[in-house]
Amino acid sequence: MNEQTFTITKFSDLANPTRFLALAARILPWLAGLTALVLAAGLYLSFTTDGDYQQGYTVRIMYVHVPSAWLAMMCYSVMAVSAIGTLVWRHPLADVSHKAAAPIGAAFTLIALITGSLWGKPMWGTWWVWDARLTSVFVLFLMYLGLIALNRAMDDPSRAARVSAVLILVGFVNIPIIKFSVEWWNTLHQPASVIRMGGSAIDAEFLWPLLTMAIGFTLLFFTLHIAAMRNEIWRRRVAAQRRLAARMANREG
């Protein structure tokens, strides 16, 4: 067996829901523990840093706001990859993945919007402005809510998966708009400060807590996503068993 065949075989194994459930049962406790440790370290670093000379201690909102905004976009990107898996490869777990990710992405987006408003009030003098960055993130939140509503409204899981996948890929155009909005338009929101040409513009005192929190939030996303996928697989199995029991009851009746 060559390396390519081995990779395809392993990928196919993960497509089996039973194998995925077994893998999730093994890694979730370790992943959850690692998430808790990294978030605890990030919170410790966040609360022990001094205040910024301009923003004071309100700069600490950054340690929640920025990772939440990153995860809001990353979660939708994961959903887009899963949508491709649904439409192109018919991967059995692809629709489970993007359905499970939607509520998590909505939660991170809502946190980003709320913390952004709390940070914007002392910095900008207002809770909200309809500039390109804030508006596009709000649109992302509405997209998450729409996908959640669609998945719950349609009774046929396979049809809901295909329709959701198409809408996810169409809506992905909003992700580069969010990312580059501060460069394309004149907005109140500051441009990229961490990952940019020429290196980070943030002092190391604030950068390390921010990166630690970002890693912690990323681990939290994967923990929640795997757990949500596991729950969705169980939910579908229970629903399938109920449908089977109902059909057998109708035949006997």
Side-chain angles (χ1 to χ4, degrees), residues 120-189:
K121 179 60 176 177
M123 295 300 101
W124 300 340
T126 181
W127 298 101
W128 182 266
V129 289
W130 291 98
D131 75 345
R133 171 62 65 83
L134 274 67
T135 303
S136 55
V137 172
F138 181 67
V139 169
L140 178 64
F141 179 63
L142 296 180
M143 289 163 55
Y144 277 124
L145 295 183
L147 290 167
I148 294 171
L150 175 65
N151 285 322
R152 293 184 177 180
M154 300 182 70
D155 295 329
D156 185 356
S158 61
R159 184 167 180 266
R162 292 192 299 270
V163 175
S164 297
V166 172
L167 293 178
I168 288 169
L169 294 178
V170 171
F172 187 75
V173 69
N174 191 42
I175 300 302
I177 292 176
I178 295 174
K179 172 63 178 176
F180 299 108
S181 57
V182 293
E183 300 174 12
W184 293 344
W185 296 285
N186 183 23
T187 69
L188 282 176
H189 201 283

Side-chain angles (χ1 to χ4, degrees), residues 20 24 27-28 31 221-231:
F20 176 82
I27 68 174
L28 268 178
L31 189 57
F221 164 73
F222 284 114
T223 302
L224 295 176
H225 190 213
I226 293 173
M229 288 181 64
R230 179 186 61 181
N231 294 341

Side-chain angles (χ1 to χ4, degrees), residues 75 78-79 96-106 144 221 225 228-229:
C75 182
V78 169
M79 291 172 61
V96 174
S97 175
H98 63 69
K99 183 178 181 180
I104 303 172
Y144 277 124
F221 164 73
H225 190 213
M229 288 181 64

Side-chain angles (χ1 to χ4, degrees), residues 204-224:
E205 180 182 2
F206 306 107
L207 180 61
W208 286 112
L210 177 60
L211 293 178
T212 305
M213 289 294 289
I215 294 173
F217 269 58
T218 303
L219 292 172
L220 177 62
F221 164 73
F222 284 114
T223 302
L224 295 176

Side-chain angles (χ1 to χ4, degrees), residues 60-108:
R60 291 175 177 172
I61 300 175
M62 171 181 68
Y63 303 132
V64 175
H65 171 72
V66 174
S68 298
W70 286 347
L71 265 295
M73 293 187 290
M74 192 193 83
C75 182
Y76 199 91
S77 300
V78 169
M79 291 172 61
V81 174
S82 300
I84 295 174
T86 296
L87 297 174
V88 178
W89 295 294
R90 308 285 184 180
H91 195 288
L93 292 182
D95 65 303
V96 174
S97 175
H98 63 69
K99 183 178 181 180
I104 303 172
F108 279 119

